[in-house]
Amino acid sequence: MVVTHNLGFPRIGAKRELKFALESYWKGQSSISELKIQGTALRKTHWNVQSGLDWSPVGDFSFYDQVLDMSLTLGNLPLRARDYHGDPLDNYFRVARGRSAQGTEDHAGCCSGIAAGEMTKWFDTNYHYIVPEFTADTEFKLDATRLLAQLAEAKAQGVHAKPVIIGPVTYLRIGKTKDDSSRLNLLPRLLPVYSELLDTLAAQGVEWVQIDEPALVTELDADWQNAYNLAYHHLKSIRIKLLLATYFGTLQENLYLACNLPVAGLHLDVINARNEIQPLLNLVSSHKIVSLGVINGRNIWKTDLNATLDWLEPLAERLGERLWIAPSCSLLHVPVDLNSEQKLDTEIKSWLAFAVQKLDELRVLATALNQGRAAVANELKANQGALASRRASPRVSNPAVKQALARITPELGQRQNAYPVRAEKQAAFLKLPLYPTTTIGSFPQTAEIRQARSQFKAGEINNTDYQSAMQAEIARCVREQETLGLDVLVHGEAERNDMVEYFGEQLDGYAFSHFGWVQSYGSRCVKPPILFGDIRRPQAMTVEWIKYAQSLTDKPIKGMLTGPVTMLNWSFVRDDQPRSVSCYQLALAIREEVLDLEQAGVRIIQIDEAALREGLPLRRAQWQSYLDWAVESFRIAANGVTDETQIHTHMCYSEFNDIIAAIADMDADVITIETSRSDMELLDVFDHFKYPNQIGPGVYDIHTPNIPTEQHMVELMKKAALRIPAERLWVNPDCGLKTRQWAEVIPALTHMVAAAKTLRAAAV
Ligand code: GLN
Ligand code: ZN
């Protein structure tokens, strides 16, 4: 009999119940016990959904982040968070977000806010975890309270519980030392705490523990490989079975290592590593459980159940009791329940599976393996029907788009002339001062704007009223920017709810869910659009708004678009063609928009690639091939314009060290980046790499409400001018202003414009 299990379930709730409970608690509108009750209710619901499985995860629920949970379990709280007198959950929120709920702070002078833990992406997902902090002196101490409480709850509910923890090597690997010490030095201190934890769980009658070691799919040097051997030999004496879970990629050179670690079972992400099954079976000893992640835990398409059974059946035959099946990774990365969707197009809906549906698929597969396909004939037939409808749908495939793609040549991505020639023509045309000032695109999204947009969407106001509301907002933005004395203006993006959704909604080939939320960090969720078909732009998307803005001023208005790579990386993408193909399709659609803007007289066009870096594959060996098609896609989108048209791009980061050549290769005339918080330190890269074009290193940190002083911005720009010639520097904030208030933006930009003037005066 094949065994079914799940690696983790999304905890946010089908209607984002956890988000709302957290935010209400943080605002001081509900009590900590109400929050805890909501947590209990969600766990109960989620275990119910998983009840047909042989093993359900326990400990995957988190009030903020599973990595921070692990840090607490290991007693690894940052020093600044020790000695807190209140509820441990409040202290946990302090580490996560710098402060706890309103009200818990004020009364205790000794327990006020602290610096929040740093956040970073969990492998190549869009989920952000709180980075564990280490120093040479870090000591660990077990605190199993949370895990034991959830275990008791699960047992009371009759759940076949498999606790989930992060393995010791991955835990060290994803953390940071605050001094220069080596994380691996901490392993000998960490392992006894893991032993104690596993002993504690064993004492509770736990049979299996899932120990997540996704670091095994990354490139490891000999020391880290050795750490795996050390760790798991240390843990092997404990009378509990460990299921070592790897996911998000292939094991490659770590396959031998993973197969030979002394654990009871090994989980392989078969969505990514199908061709490692055979080598794994050859290496792994014959008493080990082999768990195969056969359902995609990162995407929202239905699994081809028959095709999966075709290759799974012989394996089930061969492995018998030793075969477990599961989703490829935790379902944290997909939305909860497709049944919540009432408005989604029924045809498209029939092609999809969210977390709940994925577990149904798992059950169908298990029944087919255990009792024969006839036992689930109806389910298999329905699945086949849905897949056939998707394959044959004219909405998925558009021959004209395929032809356009086939006609792509390298010339399409090339500007007429190299940057120096263009720069001269642009300078003559635009006549901008030294240190020109601009913003990144959006201005504050006021309550009125949001209301006008949602009323229009709900059909409560007509198109004319909506247009005039947006035009009024554009006029306000233009007026304010003229008063401020900015050099290159923007229209303010009032009509955009989200930089990807706005364009996706206007392109053929995109669909939108209502409740397709996925946790990004803490209570924050994103709702990635669903890219399901060939991409076509039926009509211009932004031209009228920009034209209107330009009609109000003699200053140049910068057209504002989202780039193809960012559109791709922030969407659920097709699994029936390579990502690169979808990206090129997006590039052709954006290119049409760029050319339409140029045609309409717009001479500065910004194409945001906020998410270019996020798409980097986990293994460096694969970086170049990603960068090749990503950069080429941007070039196709941007580079059809004449020399006089100035192309800008914006990126929400500035760790360019390792990809600077690719960034330069995009050949944008101007790039604006995020550097303000690092005190321009990240510009070090320009010491070694002579970036040839213009750069706007963000000098105004828009992520805080603080108003930067003129003096501070002048100093930052002076630092930048040490590395990049002043003639090629711009002065701008480090990202869009949509999350800020006008009351903050006006003084901040006043100071910024003053800073530019000071710099100009000093330069002559
Ligand atoms: N143009 C966008 C804005 O200003 C860019 C947002 C971003 O980089 N994330 O809002
Ligand atoms: Zn940004």
Side-chain angles (χ1 to χ4, degrees):
M1 295 285 271
V2 61
V3 169
T4 53
H5 74 117
N6 186 25
L7 280 72
F9 196 82
R11 57 237 180 185
I12 202 74
K15 297 273 161 66
R16 287 183 293 163
E17 292 87 340
L18 182 58
K19 171 193 177 69
F20 300 120
L22 284 167
E23 290 174 1
S24 143
Y25 174 61
W26 292 336
K27 278 189 216 138
Q29 292 164 354
S30 55
S31 69
I32 198 159
S33 56
E34 283 169 292
L35 175 63
K36 288 178 181 171
I37 287 168
Q38 182 60 265
T40 311
L42 283 167
R43 288 192 290 273
K44 185 168 179 198
T45 308
H46 299 159
W47 284 323
N48 270 335
V49 172
Q50 301 175 85
S51 61
L53 301 179
D54 294 306
W55 296 101
S56 298
V58 168
D60 56 334
F61 179 88
S62 174
F63 275 118
Y64 202 97
D65 166 42
Q66 74 272 14
V67 177
L68 183 58
D69 287 351
M70 198 66 214
S71 288
L72 263 72
T73 302
L74 299 168
N76 183 28
L77 221 63
L79 274 180
R80 62 184 182 280
R82 311 250 166 116
D83 304 323
Y84 183 74
H85 296 100
D87 191 298
L89 186 56
D90 282 325
N91 201 25
Y92 169 86
F93 290 138
R94 290 166 82 231
V95 183
R97 46 197 292 277
R99 62 198 177 282
S100 189
Q102 262 173 34
T104 53
E105 291 293 323
D106 321 327
H107 60 82
C110 53
C111 301
S112 55
I114 54 171
E118 185 187 333
M119 250 182 350
T120 198
K121 275 165 172 289
W122 177 242
F123 294 84
D124 61 348
T125 72
N126 258 326
Y127 176 80
H128 302 72
Y129 68 92
I130 308 278
V131 179
E133 296 174 26
F134 307 120
T135 65
D137 304 325
T138 298
E139 301 281 346
F140 302 96
K141 185 170 180 298
L142 181 65
D143 177 358
T145 329
R146 174 193 57 92
L147 205 51
L148 291 178
Q150 292 188 22
L151 186 62
E153 243 175 64
K155 281 203 210 149
Q157 203 181 316
V159 174
H160 227 176
K162 177 194 57 176
V164 180
I165 58 175
I166 296 169
V169 184
T170 293
Y171 180 73
L172 289 178
R173 179 91 177 167
I174 62 173
K176 270 194 186 164
T177 40
K178 295 275 151 178
D179 44 25
D180 274 340
S181 62
S182 156
R183 286 163 286 173
L184 282 179
N185 289 344
L186 299 173
L187 191 63
R189 264 179 256 166
L190 183 58
L191 292 176
V193 180
Y194 269 87
S195 297
E196 201 187 335
L197 171 62
L198 294 175
D199 272 331
T200 309
L201 293 172
Q204 295 298 313
V206 168
E207 184 183 344
W208 279 96
V209 169
Q210 174 188 320
I211 192 156
D212 286 0
E213 286 285 9
L216 278 164
V217 308
T218 64
E219 283 135 337
L220 301 173
D221 65 22
D223 287 345
W224 284 95
Q225 290 198 336
N226 191 33
Y228 270 105
N229 275 317
L230 259 160
Y232 287 89
H233 279 92
H234 182 97
L235 300 176
K236 79 174 170 198
S237 54
I238 292 152
R239 52 187 177 88
I240 208 163
K241 293 181 193 154
L242 293 183
L243 177 71
L244 186 82
T246 69
Y247 42 79
F248 299 151
T250 49
L251 290 165
Q252 298 187 33
E253 72 283 5
N254 302 327
L255 181 70
Y256 182 86
L257 171 72
C259 288
N260 285 293
L261 293 174
V263 290
L266 179 61
H267 174 85
L268 183 71
D269 170 349
V270 174
I271 300 299
N272 281 296
R274 245 304 270 294
N275 50 19
E276 290 189 335
I277 298 177
Q278 285 309 330
L280 180 142
L281 292 181
N282 293 336
L283 286 168
V284 88
S285 81
S286 61
H287 59 264
K288 254 186 210 170
I289 295 297
V290 175
S291 165
L292 298 181
V294 295
I295 286 166
N296 195 333
R298 297 278 296 273
N299 213 332
I300 39 70
W301 304 105
K302 270 189 178 150
T303 307
D304 187 337
L305 297 176
N306 280 303
T308 305
L309 285 169
D310 287 344
W311 59 262
L312 206 48
E313 278 165 348
L315 290 174
E317 188 83 12
R318 174 169 166 192
L319 290 167
E321 302 270 300
R322 287 173 56 215
L323 177 65
W324 287 22
I325 57 172
S328 57
C329 57
S330 166
L331 296 174
L332 179 66
H333 312 288
V334 291
V336 180
D337 188 359
L338 189 62
N339 289 326
S340 306
E341 298 299 326
Q342 301 304 329
K343 293 202 186 120
L344 194 64
D345 176 286
T346 46
E347 189 189 16
I348 293 171
K349 192 172 165 181
S350 78
W351 306 337
L352 305 178
F354 292 176
V356 171
Q357 289 69 36
K358 284 173 187 286
L359 294 177
D360 288 338
E361 292 184 333
L362 192 65
R363 289 184 198 106
V364 174
L365 287 175
T367 311
L369 291 173
N370 289 335
Q371 301 168 31
R373 294 196 201 193
V376 280
N378 289 340
E379 287 88 341
L380 293 178
K381 200 163 158 227
N383 175 262
Q384 208 165 20
L387 294 171
S389 122
R390 183 176 163 208
R391 269 193 294 269
S393 173
R395 299 162 72 184
V396 169
S397 181
N398 182 335
V401 174
K402 295 209 159 60
Q403 282 156 19
L405 222 67
R407 284 196 301 267
I408 289 180
T409 58
E411 287 71 51
L412 219 53
Q414 266 156 30
R415 296 289 296 259
Q416 294 172 319
N417 281 295
Y419 169 78
V421 178
R422 285 164 7 221
E424 222 164 278
K425 293 192 195 175
Q426 289 164 17
F429 186 82
L430 294 167
K431 301 195 175 54
L432 295 170
L434 191 65
Y435 291 107
T437 53
T438 190
T439 63
I440 306 304
S442 56
F443 268 87
Q445 293 248 326
T446 59
E448 298 83 69
I449 304 181
R450 289 178 199 278
Q451 194 190 2
R453 265 203 327 257
S454 66
Q455 283 180 327
F456 180 52
K457 230 176 178 168
E460 289 160 24
I461 58 171
N462 64 25
N463 193 34
T464 321
D465 290 344
Y466 172 70
Q467 295 280 329
S468 43
M470 292 301 122
Q471 289 190 345
E473 190 60 33
I474 290 173
R476 172 190 190 177
C477 283
V478 171
R479 211 169 46 236
E480 295 288 5
Q481 293 173 85
E482 285 201 313
T483 313
L484 285 161
L486 287 153
D487 299 304
V488 172
L489 313 195
V490 296
H491 80 296
E493 302 182 22
E495 77 288 5
R496 303 182 190 179
N497 40 353
D498 172 276
M499 65 189 284
V500 172
E501 193 164 303
Y502 178 76
F503 291 96
E505 277 174 344
Q506 300 186 73
L507 293 169
D508 289 350
Y510 260 110
F512 294 84
S513 65
H514 215 90
F515 296 104
W517 297 100
V518 178
Q519 202 172 358
S520 170
Y521 65 89
S523 66
R524 277 287 285 271
C525 300
V526 293
K527 191 154 62 67
I530 299 166
L531 201 171
F532 69 89
D534 288 340
I535 294 293
R536 193 181 73 95
R537 188 196 69 142
Q539 61 201 28
M541 303 182 281
T542 63
V543 176
E544 286 311 312
W545 299 123
I546 308 297
K547 262 169 59 181
Y548 176 72
Q550 189 64 80
S551 75
L552 303 173
T553 177
D554 294 332
K555 293 267 180 83
I557 294 274
K558 178 163 66 165
M560 201 58 58
L561 304 171
T562 301
V565 188
T566 300
M567 294 284 297
L568 184 87
N569 285 344
W570 284 348
S571 302
F572 282 121
V573 295
R574 297 171 65 167
D575 60 351
D576 58 349
Q577 68 186 19
R579 294 173 77 85
S580 57
V581 173
S582 298
C583 200
Y584 284 127
Q585 291 186 356
L586 287 161
L588 288 175
I590 309 287
R591 178 184 175 93
E592 288 178 16
E593 187 72 12
V594 169
L595 295 178
D596 276 358
L597 281 170
E598 185 181 50
Q599 191 70 38
V602 182
R603 304 325 288 257
I604 304 183
I605 301 169
Q606 177 173 314
I607 306 169
D608 291 329
E609 284 293 15
L612 185 110
R613 199 175 202 293
E614 297 181 6
L616 284 173
L618 280 173
R619 284 175 178 272
R620 267 180 189 258
Q622 288 153 11
W623 279 22
Q624 198 50 51
S625 75
Y626 162 76
L627 288 170
D628 284 348
W629 59 254
V631 169
E632 187 58 18
S633 296
F634 179 87
R635 294 176 58 113
I636 290 169
N639 291 352
V641 294
T642 60
D643 284 347
E644 286 78 6
T645 300
Q646 189 172 67
I647 296 289
H648 291 215
T649 188
H650 165 70
M651 295 177 185
C652 292
Y653 48 84
S654 48
E655 311 115 62
F656 286 155
N657 278 299
D658 38 13
I659 57 166
I660 184 75
I663 304 274
D665 214 23
M666 289 163 69
D667 202 18
D669 297 300
V670 182
I671 179 169
T672 56
I673 56 180
E674 188 178 309
T675 25
S676 59
R677 255 183 300 182
S678 75
D679 226 22
M680 299 288 144
E681 266 166 31
L682 289 160
L683 294 183
D684 283 356
V685 55
F686 297 107
D687 287 345
H688 322 289
F689 185 92
K690 293 293 160 225
Y691 186 77
N693 307 359
Q694 297 166 51
I695 303 184
V699 285
Y700 158 20
D701 178 3
I702 64 92
H703 306 86
T704 84
N706 304 340
I707 315 290
T709 62
E710 176 194 333
Q711 179 64 23
H712 181 62
M713 290 189 273
V714 168
E715 270 159 26
L716 289 178
M717 287 307 297
K718 281 187 178 159
K719 283 192 185 172
L722 295 176
R723 295 181 170 99
I724 299 142
E727 305 75 54
R728 290 201 270 116
L729 282 173
W730 285 64
V731 181
N732 47 262
D734 68 355
C735 198
L737 301 166
K738 70 174 172 198
T739 54
R740 299 264 60 93
Q741 312 279 321
W742 277 105
E744 298 154 3
V745 162
I746 297 286
L749 291 179
T750 304
H751 295 171
M752 192 186 89
V753 171
K757 287 187 180 147
T758 304
L759 289 160
R760 278 170 212 156
V764 287

